[in-house]
């Protein structure tokens, strides 16, 4: 069975942002996203793998037997766009994206150029709904 590559690390989040992020706009957006996600989750920012800033965690186990840990929510300030890990990707949750603003969609990842391109109140709701879904789907044993 393949080992999960995205695990929590001890790398300092602020050191990562200050050394990795390539623009002042993205740096400021990263600070704002950290504050927003910490406020919603009540959890501190933590690095997951080399480039993902995550908040909280849950343990998943699929029918295939694959299991691991992942952050409840998070983001990565990549060069092309900010990747937001705030969405389940499930069809029944598509309504949560209504009125979000300007973004592109990956499988379960939302890409934005800058935070001002989206409605932060919609993002907050999206994060809360996704966390609720994850907590209900992957209940702690």
């Amino acid at each position: 069975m393949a080992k999960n590559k995205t695990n929590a690390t001890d790398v300092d989040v602020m050191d990562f942002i200050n050394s990795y992020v390539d623009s002042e706009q993205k740096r400021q957006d990263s600070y704002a996203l950290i504050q927003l996600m910490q406020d919603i989750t009540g959890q501190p920012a933590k690095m997951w793998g080399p480039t993902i800033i995550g908040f909280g965690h849950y343990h998943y186990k699929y029918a295939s037997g694959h299991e691991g840990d992942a952050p409840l929510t998070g983001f990565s300030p990549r060069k092309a766009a900010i990747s937001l890990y705030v969405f389940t990707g499930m069809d029944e949750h598509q309504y949560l994206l209504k009125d979000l603003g300007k973004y592109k969609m990956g499988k379960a990842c939302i890409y934005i150029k800058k935070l001002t391109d989206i409605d932060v109140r919609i993002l907050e709701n999206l994060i809360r709904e996704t966390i609720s879904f994850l907590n209900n789907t992957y209940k702690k044993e």
Side-chain angles (χ1 to χ4, degrees):
M1 179 109 11
K3 187 172 166 78
N4 191 355
K5 296 177 189 173
T6 307
N7 295 302
T9 73
D10 291 326
V11 173
D12 183 87
V13 172
M14 292 306 169
D15 287 347
F16 165 74
I17 290 171
N18 292 327
S19 65
Y20 180 81
V21 177
D22 62 350
S23 76
E24 187 58 29
Q25 175 68 54
K26 204 170 283 180
R27 193 171 292 113
Q28 293 305 316
D29 287 349
S30 295
Y31 298 146
L33 285 166
I34 287 171
Q35 188 63 57
L36 174 77
M37 292 181 179
Q38 281 183 165
D39 288 349
I40 291 172
T41 64
Q43 299 293 316
K46 187 158 186 67
M47 292 303 301
W48 285 76
T51 61
I52 296 172
I53 300 168
F55 302 82
H57 75 280
Y58 68 99
H59 186 80
Y60 61 86
K61 185 171 185 177
Y62 300 137
S64 67
H66 179 77
E67 65 181 296
D69 293 302
L72 284 170
T73 191
F75 72 97
S76 182
R78 302 187 193 281
K79 294 196 186 310
I82 297 172
S83 302
L84 299 172
Y85 303 101
V86 298
F87 186 63
T88 65
M90 300 178 71
D91 288 341
E92 61 264 34
H93 295 141
Q94 290 294 321
Y95 75 95
L96 294 168
L97 300 173
K98 185 178 181 315
D99 302 322
L100 179 60
K102 186 177 173 184
Y103 67 92
K104 290 186 179 178
M105 195 73 213
K107 185 174 180 180
C109 179
I110 296 169
Y111 302 102
I112 62 170
K113 292 289 184 181
K114 55 189 184 286
L115 201 51
T116 56
D117 284 344
I118 62 171
D119 185 328
V120 174
R121 292 171 306 182
I122 302 292
L123 176 61
E124 289 172 0
N125 184 51
L126 182 61
I127 293 168
R128 284 185 173 86
E129 290 293 326
T130 297
I131 290 171
S132 177
F133 170 81
L134 292 172
N135 283 334
N136 288 330
T137 303
Y138 303 102
K139 292 184 183 351
K140 296 192 186 331
E141 298 175 1

